[in-house]
Amino acid sequence: MKKPNIVILGAGYGGLMTTIRLQKSLSVKNANITLVNMHNYHYQSTWLHEAAAGTIHHDNVRIMIQNVIKPERVNFIVDTVERIKPEEKVVKLKETELKYDILVIGLGFEGVSHEIPGLAEHALMMKNLDSSMLIREHLEYNFALYNNEKEKKQSRINIVVGGGGFTGVEFLGELANRIPELCEDYDINKARVKIINLESESTILPGIDQQLIDYAMNSLESRGIEIITSASLKECKPDSIIYEKDGKSIEVPTMTTVWTASGRANSVVERSGFQTKEGKIEVREDMRTQDFDDVFVIGDCALIRNAKTGKPYPSHGQITEEQSETVARNIKRIVRGKTELDKFKPHRLGTVISLGYNDAIGTILRDCKLYGWKATFLKKMLANRYLLKVGGLGLVMKKGKFNVFY
Ligand SMILES: Cc1cc2nc3c(=O)[nH]c(=O)nc-3n(C[C@H](O)[C@H](O)[C@H](O)COP(=O)(O)OP(=O)(O)OC[C@H]3O[C@@H](n4cnc5c(N)ncnc54)[C@H](O)[C@@H]3O)c2cc1C
């Protein structure tokens, strides 16, 4: 193969790690590597709920891309991908067009507001770092206004979180830590604040072990969060929401609804005419699309099935990071003229769900359950391990999580 143009779209968990692996293993003599991202920074989506609650500063969540890539090896372009034309091997960006020989699509997810009336207009979503910062500011603004208006409005200090999946539960855990601080700052009686979680299934965290669910429910409820299961959000208005439970409609005054219940693969993939399932591109075991040998897909845009069970792997940061290993190795093989490619085999260390900065649940080595500080420790070590891979010890020291025992 002549010196190929490798174009990587998106500098999230998948795209950035693929780039970093390729810049280590391919020299400028072997390939031209181009990374495209809509911001000049990478943000860790797995920390967005913390930035949204305000329990960590947003600067800890973002990493300037120029600090972790080598400009002599990688051409980094800040631009927005509008469309991919796989038949022509062209990517249309907002400002320019790029030609590729090998493409990696790592454009992540976007929030979906379903068809619920008013949700798109009045609810907030954790789609990226900007939207997480907006949630933090919105919370603080409403708490600040509460004592500054003639008539105290309960809707300013009622918070509704839609969805009791991973993201919803992690955000609730952070709110449980953050709200007492906001109450102290703005002199509000903590007992007046209501944090309500609405989940349409009969349980939060559907699909995970019941003991872990019970622990999470106890942890959240003991810190004042009201979890309402089998409840569907029906309407979102500027100063209230309506949900339905047991056939009854209930209205809750609130100016803060955070919707965490659904995300989907970036719509650029569907817009570009790729065959999709639930918005994702189904890939082969070597992470290439079914139809194009020169297009790899990674992370939340990829649907890859466990070869034994036929079930899709979940969209997780850790899985995405492991996929980047397979993608980078396979690109290296193609550049070196090899035709046999590696298959994706995840070796997940475990799954951990935080319940605030000092509590968590998780499983490790398949069935070993973890609770409390042990799970918190594992969660933070996984985060630090990722930083180590991206930017070495310097980045871990700068942005790592070390507050493990409180
Ligand atoms: C709040 C939250 C908490 C989570 N917690 C966990 C967790 O604890 N553990 C876990 O394993 N997973 C977690 N996840 C899931 C995990 O973050 C994702 O699975 C992972 O980020 C997927 O990586 P990705 O590379 O596909 O996408 P992303 O990391 O989302 O990166 C996509 C990149 O593409 C860029 N981009 C998007 N559109 C364009 C465009 N048109 N043009 C140019 N650039 C573009 C974005 O700016 C971004 O840099 C969480 C997700 C959220 C939202």
Side-chain angles (χ1 to χ4, degrees), residues 100-156:
Y100 66 81
D101 299 298
I102 301 170
L103 183 71
V104 181
I105 304 175
L107 293 169
F109 68 99
E110 28 181 69
V112 181
S113 54
H114 285 301
E115 299 294 294
I116 299 168
L119 200 67
E121 297 82 1
H122 307 303
L124 299 152
M125 288 185 206
M126 271 173 264
K127 294 180 281 193
N128 50 37
L129 192 54
D130 290 335
S131 57
S132 293
M133 284 158 68
L134 177 65
I135 295 173
R136 182 199 64 202
E137 291 299 313
H138 176 94
L139 277 170
E140 182 133 9
Y141 175 73
N142 279 288
F143 272 67
L145 270 182
Y146 182 72
N147 278 331
N148 278 295
E149 287 173 321
K150 261 196 199 149
E151 184 206 339
K152 290 193 192 327
K153 293 186 183 133
Q154 183 62 33
S155 56
R156 294 218 181 269

Short mmCIF file of all heavy atoms in Angstrom, two decimals, residues 100-156:
data_model
loop_
_atom_site.label_atom_id
_atom_site.label_comp_id
_atom_site.label_asym_id
_atom_site.label_seq_id
_atom_site.Cartn_x
_atom_site.Cartn_y
_atom_site.Cartn_z
N TYR A 100 -9.52 9.98 2.41
CA TYR A 100 -8.87 8.98 3.27
C TYR A 100 -8.64 7.67 2.51
O TYR A 100 -9.30 7.40 1.51
CB TYR A 100 -9.71 8.71 4.52
CG TYR A 100 -11.07 8.06 4.24
CD1 TYR A 100 -11.19 6.68 4.03
CD2 TYR A 100 -12.23 8.83 4.18
CE1 TYR A 100 -12.42 6.09 3.78
CE2 TYR A 100 -13.46 8.24 3.93
CZ TYR A 100 -13.56 6.87 3.73
OH TYR A 100 -14.77 6.29 3.49
N ASP A 101 -7.67 6.91 3.03
CA ASP A 101 -7.52 5.51 2.60
C ASP A 101 -8.07 4.59 3.67
O ASP A 101 -8.60 3.51 3.37
CB ASP A 101 -6.04 5.20 2.33
CG ASP A 101 -5.48 6.08 1.23
OD1 ASP A 101 -6.00 5.98 0.10
OD2 ASP A 101 -4.58 6.90 1.51
N ILE A 102 -7.89 5.01 4.93
CA ILE A 102 -8.45 4.24 6.05
C ILE A 102 -9.17 5.24 6.96
O ILE A 102 -8.61 6.28 7.32
CB ILE A 102 -7.34 3.52 6.85
CG1 ILE A 102 -6.56 2.56 5.94
CG2 ILE A 102 -7.93 2.77 8.05
CD1 ILE A 102 -5.31 1.98 6.57
N LEU A 103 -10.40 4.89 7.34
CA LEU A 103 -11.19 5.81 8.18
C LEU A 103 -11.56 5.14 9.50
O LEU A 103 -11.88 3.94 9.52
CB LEU A 103 -12.47 6.20 7.44
CG LEU A 103 -13.37 7.22 8.13
CD1 LEU A 103 -12.73 8.61 8.11
CD2 LEU A 103 -14.74 7.29 7.45
N VAL A 104 -11.51 5.90 10.59
CA VAL A 104 -12.01 5.42 11.88
C VAL A 104 -13.12 6.38 12.32
O VAL A 104 -12.89 7.58 12.44
CB VAL A 104 -10.90 5.40 12.96
CG1 VAL A 104 -11.45 4.88 14.28
CG2 VAL A 104 -9.71 4.56 12.50
N ILE A 105 -14.31 5.84 12.54
CA ILE A 105 -15.42 6.68 13.00
C ILE A 105 -15.57 6.51 14.51
O ILE A 105 -15.87 5.41 14.98
CB ILE A 105 -16.74 6.29 12.30
CG1 ILE A 105 -16.59 6.36 10.77
CG2 ILE A 105 -17.89 7.17 12.77
CD1 ILE A 105 -17.81 5.86 10.00
N GLY A 106 -15.35 7.58 15.24
CA GLY A 106 -15.47 7.54 16.71
C GLY A 106 -16.19 8.77 17.19
O GLY A 106 -15.67 9.50 18.04
N LEU A 107 -17.37 9.02 16.65
CA LEU A 107 -18.07 10.29 16.91
C LEU A 107 -19.01 10.25 18.12
O LEU A 107 -19.71 11.20 18.41
CB LEU A 107 -18.84 10.73 15.66
CG LEU A 107 -17.95 11.12 14.47
CD1 LEU A 107 -18.78 11.28 13.20
CD2 LEU A 107 -17.18 12.41 14.77
N GLY A 108 -19.02 9.10 18.81
CA GLY A 108 -19.74 9.05 20.08
C GLY A 108 -21.26 9.10 19.97
O GLY A 108 -21.84 8.70 18.96
N PHE A 109 -21.87 9.62 21.03
CA PHE A 109 -23.33 9.56 21.15
C PHE A 109 -23.94 10.97 21.11
O PHE A 109 -23.22 11.96 21.21
CB PHE A 109 -23.71 8.90 22.49
CG PHE A 109 -23.33 9.77 23.66
CD1 PHE A 109 -24.28 10.57 24.30
CD2 PHE A 109 -22.03 9.82 24.11
CE1 PHE A 109 -23.92 11.39 25.37
CE2 PHE A 109 -21.66 10.64 25.17
CZ PHE A 109 -22.60 11.42 25.80
N GLU A 110 -25.26 11.02 20.98
CA GLU A 110 -25.97 12.29 21.20
C GLU A 110 -27.22 12.00 22.02
O GLU A 110 -27.71 10.87 22.06
CB GLU A 110 -26.32 13.02 19.90
CG GLU A 110 -26.52 12.20 18.68
CD GLU A 110 -26.84 12.98 17.42
OE1 GLU A 110 -25.94 13.67 16.93
OE2 GLU A 110 -27.96 12.85 16.91
N GLY A 111 -27.71 13.02 22.71
CA GLY A 111 -28.90 12.83 23.53
C GLY A 111 -30.14 12.71 22.66
O GLY A 111 -30.21 13.28 21.58
N VAL A 112 -31.12 11.95 23.15
CA VAL A 112 -32.38 11.81 22.42
C VAL A 112 -33.51 12.20 23.36
O VAL A 112 -33.51 11.80 24.52
CB VAL A 112 -32.60 10.33 22.00
CG1 VAL A 112 -33.89 10.18 21.21
CG2 VAL A 112 -31.44 9.83 21.18
N SER A 113 -34.43 12.99 22.87
CA SER A 113 -35.47 13.44 23.80
C SER A 113 -36.79 12.71 23.59
O SER A 113 -37.80 13.08 24.14
CB SER A 113 -35.67 14.94 23.66
OG SER A 113 -35.93 15.27 22.33
N HIS A 114 -36.78 11.63 22.87
CA HIS A 114 -38.02 10.88 22.56
C HIS A 114 -39.08 11.84 22.03
O HIS A 114 -38.78 12.91 21.56
CB HIS A 114 -38.54 10.15 23.81
CG HIS A 114 -37.74 8.93 24.14
ND1 HIS A 114 -37.59 7.89 23.28
CD2 HIS A 114 -37.02 8.62 25.22
CE1 HIS A 114 -36.83 6.96 23.81
NE2 HIS A 114 -36.47 7.39 24.99
N GLU A 115 -40.31 11.41 22.18
CA GLU A 115 -41.41 12.25 21.67
C GLU A 115 -42.13 12.92 22.82
O GLU A 115 -43.24 13.40 22.65
CB GLU A 115 -42.40 11.37 20.89
CG GLU A 115 -41.79 10.68 19.68
CD GLU A 115 -41.36 11.66 18.59
OE1 GLU A 115 -42.24 12.30 18.02
OE2 GLU A 115 -40.15 11.78 18.35
N ILE A 116 -41.50 12.96 23.99
CA ILE A 116 -42.21 13.52 25.15
C ILE A 116 -42.40 15.03 24.96
O ILE A 116 -41.41 15.75 24.75
CB ILE A 116 -41.42 13.23 26.45
CG1 ILE A 116 -41.29 11.72 26.64
CG2 ILE A 116 -42.09 13.88 27.67
CD1 ILE A 116 -40.32 11.30 27.70
N PRO A 117 -43.64 15.51 25.03
CA PRO A 117 -43.86 16.94 24.78
C PRO A 117 -43.04 17.81 25.74
O PRO A 117 -43.00 17.56 26.94
CB PRO A 117 -45.36 17.12 25.03
CG PRO A 117 -45.95 15.77 24.89
CD PRO A 117 -44.89 14.78 25.27
N GLY A 118 -42.37 18.79 25.17
CA GLY A 118 -41.64 19.77 25.97
C GLY A 118 -40.25 19.35 26.41
O GLY A 118 -39.47 20.17 26.91
N LEU A 119 -39.92 18.08 26.23
CA LEU A 119 -38.61 17.61 26.73
C LEU A 119 -37.45 18.30 26.02
O LEU A 119 -36.51 18.79 26.65
CB LEU A 119 -38.50 16.09 26.57
CG LEU A 119 -37.46 15.44 27.46
CD1 LEU A 119 -37.83 15.52 28.92
CD2 LEU A 119 -37.24 13.99 27.07
N ALA A 120 -37.52 18.35 24.69
CA ALA A 120 -36.43 18.96 23.94
C ALA A 120 -36.25 20.43 24.33
O ALA A 120 -35.14 20.93 24.41
CB ALA A 120 -36.70 18.85 22.44
N GLU A 121 -37.37 21.11 24.61
CA GLU A 121 -37.31 22.56 24.91
C GLU A 121 -36.90 22.84 26.34
O GLU A 121 -36.16 23.78 26.60
CB GLU A 121 -38.68 23.23 24.66
CG GLU A 121 -39.19 23.21 23.24
CD GLU A 121 -39.88 21.89 22.87
OE1 GLU A 121 -39.96 20.99 23.73
OE2 GLU A 121 -40.31 21.74 21.71
N HIS A 122 -37.39 22.03 27.30
CA HIS A 122 -37.24 22.44 28.70
C HIS A 122 -36.33 21.55 29.55
O HIS A 122 -36.01 21.93 30.68
CB HIS A 122 -38.62 22.52 29.37
CG HIS A 122 -39.58 23.37 28.59
ND1 HIS A 122 -39.31 24.68 28.29
CD2 HIS A 122 -40.78 23.08 28.02
CE1 HIS A 122 -40.31 25.17 27.58
NE2 HIS A 122 -41.21 24.22 27.40
N ALA A 123 -35.94 20.38 29.04
CA ALA A 123 -35.08 19.53 29.87
C ALA A 123 -33.62 19.76 29.49
O ALA A 123 -33.30 20.21 28.39
CB ALA A 123 -35.45 18.06 29.68
N LEU A 124 -32.74 19.45 30.42
CA LEU A 124 -31.30 19.55 30.16
C LEU A 124 -30.75 18.14 29.97
O LEU A 124 -31.27 17.18 30.54
CB LEU A 124 -30.62 20.22 31.37
CG LEU A 124 -31.12 21.63 31.67
CD1 LEU A 124 -30.98 21.95 33.15
CD2 LEU A 124 -30.35 22.64 30.82
N MET A 125 -29.68 18.03 29.19
CA MET A 125 -29.08 16.71 28.94
C MET A 125 -27.58 16.78 29.06
O MET A 125 -26.99 17.80 28.73
CB MET A 125 -29.43 16.23 27.53
CG MET A 125 -30.85 15.84 27.37
SD MET A 125 -31.14 15.16 25.75
CE MET A 125 -32.86 15.53 25.58
N MET A 126 -26.96 15.67 29.47
CA MET A 126 -25.50 15.62 29.55
C MET A 126 -24.95 15.05 28.24
O MET A 126 -24.65 13.87 28.15
CB MET A 126 -25.10 14.67 30.69
CG MET A 126 -24.97 15.33 32.00
SD MET A 126 -24.69 14.09 33.26
CE MET A 126 -26.35 13.86 33.83
N LYS A 127 -24.88 15.92 27.23
CA LYS A 127 -24.47 15.42 25.91
C LYS A 127 -22.97 15.57 25.71
O LYS A 127 -22.36 14.87 24.96
CB LYS A 127 -25.18 16.22 24.81
CG LYS A 127 -26.66 16.00 24.80
CD LYS A 127 -27.32 16.81 23.70
CE LYS A 127 -27.48 18.25 24.12
NZ LYS A 127 -28.33 19.07 23.29
N ASN A 128 -22.42 16.59 26.34
CA ASN A 128 -21.00 16.90 26.18
C ASN A 128 -20.60 17.83 27.34
O ASN A 128 -21.40 18.08 28.23
CB ASN A 128 -20.74 17.56 24.82
CG ASN A 128 -21.70 18.71 24.57
OD1 ASN A 128 -22.04 19.45 25.48
ND2 ASN A 128 -22.16 18.85 23.34
N LEU A 129 -19.39 18.33 27.29
CA LEU A 129 -18.93 19.14 28.42
C LEU A 129 -19.71 20.45 28.53
O LEU A 129 -20.08 20.88 29.63
CB LEU A 129 -17.42 19.42 28.29
CG LEU A 129 -16.77 19.99 29.53
CD1 LEU A 129 -17.03 19.15 30.76
CD2 LEU A 129 -15.27 20.16 29.33
N ASP A 130 -20.01 21.08 27.39
CA ASP A 130 -20.75 22.34 27.42
C ASP A 130 -22.12 22.16 28.10
O ASP A 130 -22.53 22.97 28.92
CB ASP A 130 -20.99 22.88 26.00
CG ASP A 130 -19.69 23.36 25.36
OD1 ASP A 130 -18.77 23.70 26.12
OD2 ASP A 130 -19.60 23.36 24.12
N SER A 131 -22.81 21.08 27.72
CA SER A 131 -24.15 20.89 28.28
C SER A 131 -24.06 20.51 29.76
O SER A 131 -24.97 20.83 30.54
CB SER A 131 -24.94 19.85 27.48
OG SER A 131 -24.25 18.65 27.44
N SER A 132 -22.97 19.87 30.17
CA SER A 132 -22.82 19.55 31.60
C SER A 132 -22.57 20.82 32.40
O SER A 132 -23.08 20.99 33.51
CB SER A 132 -21.64 18.59 31.81
OG SER A 132 -21.97 17.36 31.25
N MET A 133 -21.78 21.74 31.81
CA MET A 133 -21.52 23.01 32.51
C MET A 133 -22.80 23.83 32.63
O MET A 133 -23.04 24.52 33.61
CB MET A 133 -20.44 23.80 31.75
CG MET A 133 -19.05 23.23 31.99
SD MET A 133 -17.88 23.67 30.69
CE MET A 133 -17.69 25.39 30.92
N LEU A 134 -23.65 23.71 31.60
CA LEU A 134 -24.93 24.42 31.63
C LEU A 134 -25.80 23.90 32.79
O LEU A 134 -26.44 24.68 33.50
CB LEU A 134 -25.65 24.24 30.29
CG LEU A 134 -27.03 24.86 30.18
CD1 LEU A 134 -26.96 26.38 30.29
CD2 LEU A 134 -27.69 24.49 28.85
N ILE A 135 -25.80 22.59 32.99
CA ILE A 135 -26.59 22.01 34.09
C ILE A 135 -26.08 22.56 35.43
O ILE A 135 -26.85 22.98 36.29
CB ILE A 135 -26.53 20.46 34.06
CG1 ILE A 135 -27.20 19.93 32.79
CG2 ILE A 135 -27.17 19.86 35.31
CD1 ILE A 135 -27.06 18.44 32.55
N ARG A 136 -24.76 22.57 35.59
CA ARG A 136 -24.17 23.08 36.84
C ARG A 136 -24.60 24.54 37.09
O ARG A 136 -25.05 24.90 38.17
CB ARG A 136 -22.64 22.98 36.74
CG ARG A 136 -21.94 23.42 38.00
CD ARG A 136 -20.49 23.75 37.72
NE ARG A 136 -20.37 24.88 36.81
CZ ARG A 136 -19.29 25.14 36.06
NH1 ARG A 136 -18.27 24.33 36.09
NH2 ARG A 136 -19.25 26.21 35.28
N GLU A 137 -24.50 25.35 36.03
CA GLU A 137 -24.85 26.77 36.18
C GLU A 137 -26.33 26.95 36.45
O GLU A 137 -26.73 27.80 37.24
CB GLU A 137 -24.47 27.55 34.90
CG GLU A 137 -22.98 27.68 34.68
CD GLU A 137 -22.28 28.42 35.81
OE1 GLU A 137 -22.78 29.49 36.20
OE2 GLU A 137 -21.26 27.93 36.31
N HIS A 138 -27.14 26.16 35.77
CA HIS A 138 -28.59 26.24 35.93
C HIS A 138 -28.99 25.91 37.38
O HIS A 138 -29.81 26.61 37.98
CB HIS A 138 -29.24 25.26 34.94
CG HIS A 138 -30.72 25.18 35.05
ND1 HIS A 138 -31.56 25.93 34.28
CD2 HIS A 138 -31.52 24.43 35.86
CE1 HIS A 138 -32.81 25.66 34.60
NE2 HIS A 138 -32.81 24.74 35.56
N LEU A 139 -28.39 24.85 37.93
CA LEU A 139 -28.68 24.47 39.32
C LEU A 139 -28.33 25.62 40.26
O LEU A 139 -29.12 26.03 41.10
CB LEU A 139 -27.81 23.26 39.72
CG LEU A 139 -28.29 21.87 39.33
CD1 LEU A 139 -27.20 20.85 39.58
CD2 LEU A 139 -29.54 21.51 40.13
N GLU A 140 -27.13 26.14 40.08
CA GLU A 140 -26.63 27.18 40.98
C GLU A 140 -27.49 28.45 40.86
O GLU A 140 -27.83 29.06 41.87
CB GLU A 140 -25.15 27.46 40.67
CG GLU A 140 -24.56 28.47 41.59
CD GLU A 140 -23.19 28.09 42.16
OE1 GLU A 140 -22.59 27.10 41.72
OE2 GLU A 140 -22.74 28.82 43.06
N TYR A 141 -27.84 28.79 39.64
CA TYR A 141 -28.65 29.99 39.39
C TYR A 141 -30.00 29.89 40.11
O TYR A 141 -30.45 30.83 40.76
CB TYR A 141 -28.85 30.14 37.88
CG TYR A 141 -29.75 31.27 37.46
CD1 TYR A 141 -29.33 32.58 37.53
CD2 TYR A 141 -31.02 31.01 36.96
CE1 TYR A 141 -30.16 33.62 37.13
CE2 TYR A 141 -31.87 32.04 36.56
CZ TYR A 141 -31.42 33.34 36.65
OH TYR A 141 -32.25 34.36 36.26
N ASN A 142 -30.63 28.73 40.02
CA ASN A 142 -31.94 28.56 40.66
C ASN A 142 -31.84 28.57 42.17
O ASN A 142 -32.70 29.12 42.85
CB ASN A 142 -32.62 27.29 40.14
CG ASN A 142 -33.27 27.56 38.82
OD1 ASN A 142 -34.29 28.24 38.75
ND2 ASN A 142 -32.67 27.07 37.74
N PHE A 143 -30.77 27.97 42.71
CA PHE A 143 -30.57 28.03 44.16
C PHE A 143 -30.31 29.47 44.60
O PHE A 143 -30.79 29.92 45.63
CB PHE A 143 -29.43 27.09 44.59
CG PHE A 143 -29.90 25.70 44.86
CD1 PHE A 143 -30.39 24.90 43.83
CD2 PHE A 143 -29.90 25.18 46.14
CE1 PHE A 143 -30.86 23.62 44.06
CE2 PHE A 143 -30.37 23.89 46.40
CZ PHE A 143 -30.84 23.11 45.36
N ALA A 144 -29.55 30.20 43.78
CA ALA A 144 -29.23 31.59 44.12
C ALA A 144 -30.49 32.46 44.10
O ALA A 144 -30.65 33.36 44.92
CB ALA A 144 -28.19 32.14 43.15
N LEU A 145 -31.39 32.18 43.16
CA LEU A 145 -32.62 33.00 43.06
C LEU A 145 -33.62 32.72 44.19
O LEU A 145 -34.41 33.59 44.54
CB LEU A 145 -33.30 32.73 41.72
CG LEU A 145 -32.89 33.62 40.55
CD1 LEU A 145 -33.70 33.26 39.31
CD2 LEU A 145 -33.12 35.10 40.88
N TYR A 146 -33.57 31.52 44.71
CA TYR A 146 -34.62 31.09 45.67
C TYR A 146 -34.87 32.11 46.77
O TYR A 146 -36.00 32.47 47.05
CB TYR A 146 -34.22 29.72 46.25
CG TYR A 146 -35.24 29.16 47.20
CD1 TYR A 146 -36.45 28.67 46.73
CD2 TYR A 146 -34.99 29.14 48.58
CE1 TYR A 146 -37.40 28.16 47.60
CE2 TYR A 146 -35.93 28.63 49.46
CZ TYR A 146 -37.13 28.14 48.96
OH TYR A 146 -38.06 27.64 49.84
N ASN A 147 -33.80 32.58 47.41
CA ASN A 147 -34.00 33.54 48.51
C ASN A 147 -34.05 35.00 48.03
O ASN A 147 -34.16 35.91 48.84
CB ASN A 147 -32.87 33.40 49.54
CG ASN A 147 -33.14 32.25 50.48
OD1 ASN A 147 -34.29 31.91 50.75
ND2 ASN A 147 -32.08 31.61 50.96
N ASN A 148 -33.93 35.20 46.73
CA ASN A 148 -33.89 36.56 46.21
C ASN A 148 -35.19 37.00 45.55
O ASN A 148 -35.27 38.09 45.00
CB ASN A 148 -32.75 36.71 45.20
CG ASN A 148 -31.44 36.94 45.93
OD1 ASN A 148 -31.28 37.98 46.58
ND2 ASN A 148 -30.53 35.99 45.85
N GLU A 149 -36.19 36.13 45.58
CA GLU A 149 -37.48 36.49 45.00
C GLU A 149 -38.48 36.73 46.14
O GLU A 149 -38.35 36.09 47.21
CB GLU A 149 -37.99 35.37 44.09
CG GLU A 149 -37.20 35.31 42.80
CD GLU A 149 -37.56 34.10 41.95
OE1 GLU A 149 -37.79 33.01 42.50
OE2 GLU A 149 -37.62 34.25 40.73
N LYS A 150 -39.43 37.59 45.90
CA LYS A 150 -40.43 37.89 46.95
C LYS A 150 -41.13 36.62 47.39
O LYS A 150 -41.22 36.28 48.54
CB LYS A 150 -41.46 38.88 46.38
CG LYS A 150 -41.18 40.29 46.80
CD LYS A 150 -42.42 41.13 46.55
CE LYS A 150 -42.01 42.59 46.52
NZ LYS A 150 -42.86 43.35 45.64
N GLU A 151 -41.59 35.88 46.36
CA GLU A 151 -42.29 34.63 46.66
C GLU A 151 -41.32 33.48 46.43
O GLU A 151 -40.78 33.34 45.32
CB GLU A 151 -43.48 34.52 45.69
CG GLU A 151 -44.36 33.34 45.92
CD GLU A 151 -45.07 32.93 44.63
OE1 GLU A 151 -45.19 33.78 43.71
OE2 GLU A 151 -45.47 31.76 44.54
N LYS A 152 -41.05 32.70 47.46
CA LYS A 152 -40.10 31.59 47.30
C LYS A 152 -40.76 30.50 46.45
O LYS A 152 -41.85 30.03 46.78
CB LYS A 152 -39.71 31.03 48.66
CG LYS A 152 -38.85 31.97 49.48
CD LYS A 152 -38.25 31.24 50.65
CE LYS A 152 -37.61 32.13 51.68
NZ LYS A 152 -36.99 33.34 51.25
N LYS A 153 -40.10 30.15 45.37
CA LYS A 153 -40.72 29.16 44.47
C LYS A 153 -40.07 27.79 44.69
O LYS A 153 -38.87 27.62 44.47
CB LYS A 153 -40.49 29.58 43.01
CG LYS A 153 -41.21 30.83 42.63
CD LYS A 153 -41.05 31.09 41.14
CE LYS A 153 -41.72 32.40 40.78
NZ LYS A 153 -40.89 33.25 39.96
N GLN A 154 -40.90 26.83 45.09
CA GLN A 154 -40.40 25.47 45.33
C GLN A 154 -39.81 24.88 44.04
O GLN A 154 -38.88 24.09 44.07
CB GLN A 154 -41.55 24.60 45.87
CG GLN A 154 -41.16 23.19 46.24
CD GLN A 154 -40.12 23.10 47.37
OE1 GLN A 154 -40.11 23.93 48.27
NE2 GLN A 154 -39.22 22.12 47.27
N SER A 155 -40.37 25.33 42.90
CA SER A 155 -39.90 24.76 41.61
C SER A 155 -38.41 25.06 41.37
O SER A 155 -37.76 24.37 40.60
CB SER A 155 -40.73 25.31 40.46
OG SER A 155 -40.69 26.71 40.47
N ARG A 156 -37.86 26.09 42.05
CA ARG A 156 -36.43 26.39 41.85
C ARG A 156 -35.53 25.37 42.54
O ARG A 156 -34.39 25.19 42.15
CB ARG A 156 -36.10 27.79 42.40
CG ARG A 156 -36.77 28.90 41.64
CD ARG A 156 -35.86 30.10 41.49
NE ARG A 156 -36.55 31.16 40.77
CZ ARG A 156 -36.49 31.31 39.44
NH1 ARG A 156 -35.77 30.49 38.71
NH2 ARG A 156 -37.16 32.27 38.85
#
